[in-house]
Amino acid sequence: MAGLLSALNAGKTSLRTSQKAVEIAGNNIANVNTPGYSRQVAVFQPVPSLELRGFFIGQGVNINNIAREHDVFLTRQIHDKSGTLGEESARLAPMAELERIFSVAENNLATEIDRFFDSWKELSTNPSGQTERQIVLQRGDLLARSFEDAVTSLTSAQRNINAAVESKVISVNPLLREIADLNLRISTLEISGQTANTDRDRRDLLIEDLSKQLGVTYYEEKGQVSVQLPSGLPLVQGTQAMNIETQMDSSLNLQLVLRTGPNTTTPLSTNMIGGEFKGLMSVRDEFIPQRMEELDHLAYSLAHEVNRLHRDGTDLDGQPGLDFFIATPNPPGPAPNPPAVPLAAHEKGFAKSLAVALGDTAQVAAAQGGSPGDALIGDNRNALSLSALADNLQVMDGNDSFIGYFSKITSKVGIEASRATLAARGMEDAMVQIKNMRDATVGVSLEEEMIDLIQYQKGFEASAKFLAVVDELMESILNLKR
């Protein structure tokens, strides 16, 4: 009877483990479409054998562990590539907005520059004409407004990026806190000898999300991960999560800071972060300001050259020409409308503050004579000189025209937008390949699960049949003893 009792125990453990294995396979099938889920596998281990009348008889089988299929290399690759993908993808929306601002279509800034100098050419055909002179002033005003509109649009693009950064900060901090909570839960479960497979899958998925947004790095120790920024600043240490916040600096620019304590914050510059945040902030803090500086340089050079020639001419009254353009900056102060100031050597802010200085058509200096009425008798030499600036290839730094210089600004925007698009598509393709490799290695395959399911089902049926046979034998032995 002792042998049959051992056989009964073996059948019972086989029945129980087969049932558990079916449950594990069913859980895999249920999570076949769950993002980041890793296949779980039952690890079978025989029960230690017992000596019975000189023989060591097996006592059945147990599930020793539910192992999680995991590939460290592929997981690291996914996290590393996510940061680069996030950086390039985040640049797409603001770069598309910049392409609209620096559009090569009609009615852009280059068109207004061309129309401004065309108005001087029209004036040269009738230097005393009031209509032509009015058109020159109007075209100058429209040109100044075009410069201002371009800068205003760039500033608006920066504000849109600020809004995107603020919304992302709101979503990042809960991820950091959840990782810290999972660290505590995983370490507690694994120290007690249990598995934390689902929690580890969730934590890997959160780190992938953080990598895409911030380009984080991490390392694991005793079941807990420490998450860091690319610069090495900590985001999660064990069960403690830091906070990322936004602040306005002295120039009213939105800046990121890392709060590591109640009264301790560290400013985060563009080169200290990665992922989407780096992509957005590099466009805001580097690319857009560079284009603004170029617009300021273009506006200053155009105004300087126009003013220089305009001062060489004479107006309808025979008076020396005045500055055609002025700058109207708005320095901080109580005055709501500060007076216009003459063009200064400093270029910063000229594109936004450019304005026409003349208030009367008689002040337009189309002639080069020194007597009143020279324009009335057809002196158009100064108007011709001003119209010729449009085709002068040395007015911009000695090697380009005004329109040519603006075209270079436009091409820089177009090239960078195309580069970001190609880079984002390339990284997306790379991510698809790596995730496919991960799915093939540690993901759920329905075909494999169906094979395992049939195997465990047959094992369960065989165990049940085995128990029935043992039960019949025990009943027969009892009948013989009666």
Side-chain angles (χ1 to χ4, degrees):
M1 288 293 290
L4 288 177
L5 289 174
S6 296
L8 193 64
N9 183 68
K12 181 186 71 173
T13 59
S14 175
L15 197 69
R16 185 176 62 238
T17 54
S18 295
Q19 179 183 352
K20 190 64 178 178
V22 169
E23 294 173 3
I24 295 170
N27 184 59
N28 287 336
I29 293 172
N31 286 279
V32 66
N33 295 316
T34 302
Y37 180 81
S38 300
R39 183 173 181 251
Q40 298 181 12
V41 181
V43 179
F44 296 94
Q45 184 178 29
V47 177
S49 302
L50 294 177
E51 183 181 1
L52 183 64
R53 298 170 185 171
F55 296 96
F56 284 91
I57 306 300
Q59 300 299 302
V61 63
N62 283 324
I63 293 180
N64 182 50
N65 185 31
I66 301 176
R68 169 177 174 254
E69 296 287 317
H70 184 61
D71 191 306
V72 176
F73 174 76
L74 289 177
T75 301
R76 289 278 182 178
Q77 285 289 303
I78 290 174
H79 293 162
D80 291 344
K81 299 294 184 184
S82 294
T84 308
L85 173 61
E87 180 180 350
E88 298 298 344
S89 299
R91 297 171 69 92
L92 294 180
M95 290 308 302
E97 190 171 354
L98 294 186
E99 276 194 302
R100 178 190 61 78
I101 297 171
F102 293 96
S103 173
V104 295
E106 194 175 353
N107 296 325
N108 60 7
L109 183 57
T111 305
E112 292 301 330
I113 294 174
D114 198 31
R115 288 173 178 172
F116 172 68
F117 288 112
D118 281 346
S119 69
W120 284 102
K121 188 178 295 184
E122 290 293 328
L123 178 60
S124 68
T125 63
N126 184 17
S128 62
Q130 291 299 314
T131 301
E132 288 79 1
R133 287 170 171 269
Q134 187 63 45
I135 290 175
V136 167
L137 295 179
Q138 289 176 352
R139 287 300 175 189
D141 184 63
L142 289 173
L143 176 58
R145 289 172 182 264
S146 295
F147 273 109
E148 182 183 6
D149 290 344
V151 175
T152 301
S153 297
L154 290 176
T155 305
S156 176
Q158 289 179 313
R159 286 198 296 266
N160 292 340
I161 292 176
N162 285 341
V165 170
E166 283 189 295
S167 66
K168 289 184 178 298
V169 167
I170 294 173
S171 66
V172 160
N173 289 323
L175 300 182
L176 299 176
R177 289 192 289 271
E178 187 174 355
I179 290 176
D181 293 341
L182 287 171
N183 278 344
L184 176 61
R185 177 177 172 82
I186 291 170
S187 59
T188 302
L189 286 173
E190 293 183 348
I191 287 174
S192 65
Q194 302 180 60
T195 59
N197 297 335
T198 303
D199 293 328
R200 281 184 170 272
D201 285 343
R202 175 61 181 168
R203 189 173 66 181
D204 282 349
L205 201 61
L206 293 176
I207 293 175
E208 180 185 340
D209 195 359
L210 274 180
S211 297
K212 186 176 182 181
Q213 296 193 58
L214 284 166
V216 300
T217 60
Y218 67 97
Y219 63 91
E220 182 175 347
E221 185 177 4
K222 296 180 181 180
Q224 297 186 353
V225 295
S226 295
V227 183
Q228 302 172 335
L229 289 171
S231 57
L233 291 174
L235 291 175
V236 178
Q237 287 184 318
T239 59
Q240 182 181 4
M242 315 303 170
N243 268 356
I244 294 179
E245 301 174 358
T246 57
Q247 292 181 356
M248 289 293 180
D249 61 16
S250 57
S251 302
L252 300 181
N253 294 321
L254 185 75
Q255 299 297 329
L256 292 178
V257 296
L258 177 65
R259 183 171 293 281
T260 55
N263 301 311
T264 306
T265 59
T266 303
L268 299 177
S269 60
T270 304
N271 59 357
M272 298 172 69
I273 57 178
E276 294 176 347
F277 279 91
K278 183 176 182 180
L280 290 171
M281 293 180 67
S282 63
V283 174
R284 186 197 69 179
D285 298 338
E286 297 172 10
F287 193 81
I288 291 180
Q290 289 171 2
R291 305 293 81 79
M292 284 184 172
E293 290 176 1
E294 290 169 344
L295 284 176
D296 286 338
H297 182 54
L298 175 59
Y300 173 80
S301 299
L302 188 147
H304 177 74
E305 291 297 323
V306 170
N307 286 350
R308 180 180 60 83
L309 289 180
H310 198 262
R311 287 193 302 267
D312 289 341
T314 54
D315 60 19
L316 273 179
D317 299 325
Q319 299 298 318
L322 304 174
D323 281 340
F324 189 89
F325 287 113
I326 55 170
T328 55
N330 290 297
N337 296 305
V341 299
L343 209 59
H346 188 50
E347 297 181 2
K348 185 175 178 59
F350 268 92
K352 186 173 179 60
S353 61
L354 197 64
V356 174
L358 307 182
D360 190 347
T361 56
Q363 294 177 309
V364 176
Q368 283 186 349
S371 303
D374 280 343
L376 296 176
I377 59 174
D379 188 348
N380 63 355
R381 288 174 294 173
N382 208 45
L384 288 174
S385 297
L386 283 160
S387 67
L389 283 176
D391 301 320
N392 191 326
L393 300 179
Q394 296 182 332
V395 289
M396 290 301 302
D397 304 322
N399 58 11
D400 215 339
S401 65
F402 298 128
I403 294 178
Y405 186 83
F406 179 77
S407 297
K408 288 181 179 179
I409 301 176
T410 303
S411 65
K412 289 177 184 178
V413 174
I415 290 171
E416 177 59 23
S418 299
R419 187 209 62 78
T421 301
L422 291 175
R425 288 177 180 173
M427 290 308 304
E428 286 175 356
D429 293 340
M431 282 292 292
V432 169
Q433 294 177 7
I434 296 173
K435 287 188 174 183
N436 286 341
M437 291 175 62
R438 178 197 175 280
D439 291 342
T441 305
V442 304
V444 176
S445 168
L446 289 177
E447 290 77 9
E448 291 181 12
E449 297 303 326
M450 291 303 296
I451 293 172
D452 289 345
L453 201 58
I454 293 173
Q455 178 182 347
Y456 300 144
Q457 179 188 10
K458 295 298 183 183
F460 185 91
E461 293 173 352
S463 298
K465 180 64 177 178
F466 174 71
L467 288 173
V469 170
V470 172
D471 183 62
E472 290 178 3
L473 288 174
M474 293 182 69
E475 187 176 351
S476 298
I477 291 173
L478 290 174
N479 289 334
L480 289 174
K481 288 183 177 182
R482 289 173 182 170

